[in-house]
Amino acid sequence: MDSIDLEVLHACDQWLRAGWRCEYVTVVRTWGSSPRPEGATMAIRADGVVVGSVSGGCIEDDLIAAVREQGIVRTAPEAITYGISADEAHRFGLPCGGTIQLVVEPLGPHSRMDELLALAQRRVLTRRTLDLKTGAVALAQGEADQQLRMDGDTLVTIHGPRLRMLIIGAGQLSQFLAQIAVGLEYQVTVCDPREEYRASWNLPGVDVVHTMPDDVVLDMKLDSRSAVIALTHDPKLDDLALMEALKTDAFYVGAIGSRANNARRRERLREFDLTEDQIAKLHGPIGLYIGSKTPYEIAVSILAELTAVKNGVPLPVQMTVEHGKALARDLPADPLAA
């Protein structure tokens, strides 16, 4: 669930508390290209005010116009499909061949939006099951591998953090990295047994622990939605975490350091009996080469690479730190002079 969808839940809760009639709109299926993914949400109030989005804007305009003209008249959830014909696709700004299906749900106390918002704010992964005939809602513990699902009777949606990030080290770079990662909806844990580094931490939404990194990796039971980033420059801390993380299904395991340091790190990991395939999963030097120098820029560089890996986007070798620096050295001082 991204920050936009959290804003939608917050708006629904506020409007209901203030006595407004409102509806909750969820993208449940798309065909072809679509501006917003399945699971994206929007709230619309009886006076046409909206929070969130389900398309590039034209579908929102249509829903707003209907509410302003007719009011909120639904008494049960309704599935609506846009973009079946070429004319509709053009009218609603959908890409060629794009089709989007929404569920529009009139809200009330039975919708349990206040409970769902509270769980989302506590970063609890929650499964919401909507009865499409009655509008009744059931909430239960969600699982990270569950997906949006709709049949003839129910709509199941998942709310809360799905991605986890473990950062080894509580230095300045770790603070910037964690701050951005929280905005990207990661559940962030920072591990550093050194009290002098932990003392200055005060970042909401981030768990800071003092146990040894390898123990934290084992306790977290990392899966394919987990990332581990080692930032201490201390082999006694970084290597212990990497040794265990590389044995897991974590989608990204990376360590900061120069090319020489990372080469030495790989040699040390071989002494821990890791396989070549496991060692090959290690990203390092981490990040994309964007000429970053400040901690904030380095954090952006790291998260850009991590996001590409998460999304399955192959990166040209020229974008890595190792090859990007070499390429930059070969360029003329004034790019326009080439």
Side-chain angles (χ1 to χ4, degrees):
M1 142 175 251
D2 62 30
S3 56
I4 296 174
D5 296 320
L6 189 61
E7 291 175 12
V8 171
L9 292 182
H10 191 266
C12 291
D13 181 57
Q14 282 191 322
W15 294 345
L16 289 171
R17 290 178 186 274
W20 282 96
R21 297 196 67 188
C22 52
E23 293 179 321
Y24 185 57
V25 186
T26 304
V27 178
V28 295
R29 192 174 179 187
T30 63
W31 294 265
S33 300
S34 175
R36 291 282 279 152
E38 294 179 3
T41 59
M42 181 187 86
I44 182 166
R45 205 167 65 181
D47 59 351
V49 172
V50 298
V51 174
S53 65
V54 292
S55 76
C58 294
I59 290 178
E60 287 86 345
D61 290 344
D62 189 65
L63 293 170
I64 292 168
V67 165
R68 286 178 172 169
E69 181 180 340
Q70 305 169 14
I72 292 180
V73 295
R74 293 181 182 86
T75 57
E78 179 183 1
I80 303 175
T81 302
Y82 286 95
I84 292 178
S85 69
D87 288 343
E88 285 179 313
H90 177 74
R91 175 188 171 197
F92 296 114
L94 292 168
C96 182
T99 303
I100 184 170
Q101 185 178 38
L102 311 173
V103 166
V104 183
E105 171 191 353
L107 296 180
H110 61 281
S111 306
R112 305 179 69 174
M113 301 304 283
D114 55 343
E115 297 175 63
L116 183 60
L117 173 63
L119 289 166
Q121 289 174 329
R122 287 165 41 207
R123 304 185 67 78
V124 176
L125 192 61
T126 305
R127 182 176 72 250
R128 182 178 190 262
T129 302
L130 170 68
D131 187 312
L132 292 171
K133 296 179 180 178
T134 67
V137 168
L139 302 178
Q141 179 70 41
E143 301 294 336
D145 60 350
Q146 290 177 320
Q147 303 293 328
L148 181 148
R149 175 175 53 82
M150 187 175 77
D151 55 30
D153 300 315
T154 59
L155 168 64
V156 177
T157 51
I158 306 298
H159 305 263
R162 286 177 164 241
L163 298 167
R164 294 185 295 165
M165 178 181 295
L166 172 62
I167 301 173
I168 310 302
Q172 186 182 47
L173 173 57
S174 298
Q175 294 197 35
F176 292 142
L177 186 70
Q179 182 179 353
I180 302 172
V182 168
L184 294 173
E185 297 302 314
Y186 281 85
Q187 184 177 2
V188 180
T189 300
V190 173
C191 171
D192 200 325
R194 304 168 298 180
E195 184 177 357
E196 62 272 22
Y197 282 87
R198 301 194 313 273
S200 63
W201 266 78
N202 184 25
L203 189 61
V206 175
D207 295 325
V208 181
V209 298
H210 65 270
T211 45
M212 290 301 292
D214 52 332
D215 291 332
V216 177
V217 170
L218 293 172
D219 290 343
M220 287 182 66
K221 296 180 173 57
L222 303 175
D223 57 20
S224 60
R225 293 173 177 81
S226 305
V228 177
I229 304 173
L231 298 178
T232 73
H233 292 284
D234 185 344
K236 296 189 299 295
L237 299 177
D238 288 349
D239 288 4
L240 287 172
L242 297 172
M243 175 183 65
E244 297 299 340
L246 290 169
K247 299 175 185 176
T248 72
D249 292 331
F251 74 86
Y252 184 93
V253 179
I256 200 167
S258 65
R259 287 172 287 171
N261 284 338
N262 272 280
R264 288 193 289 268
R265 175 179 288 115
R266 286 179 166 83
E267 289 302 319
R268 292 194 300 270
L269 290 172
R270 290 185 178 93
E271 296 176 4
F272 290 123
D273 295 327
L274 270 72
T275 68
E276 289 300 319
D277 286 344
Q278 289 170 335
I279 294 173
K281 291 168 56 179
L282 178 64
H283 292 265
I286 49 175
L288 302 184
Y289 184 66
I290 56 174
S292 53
K293 299 185 183 301
T294 68
Y296 248 131
E297 290 177 342
I298 295 170
V300 170
S301 166
I302 293 170
L303 284 167
E305 180 187 48
L306 184 147
T307 302
V309 173
K310 175 181 71 71
N311 293 336
V313 177
L315 292 170
V317 68
Q318 295 90 339
M319 295 185 69
T320 65
V321 171
E322 178 178 1
H323 291 83
K325 281 187 175 180
L327 185 62
R329 282 196 300 268
D330 295 335
L331 292 174
D334 181 0
L336 298 180

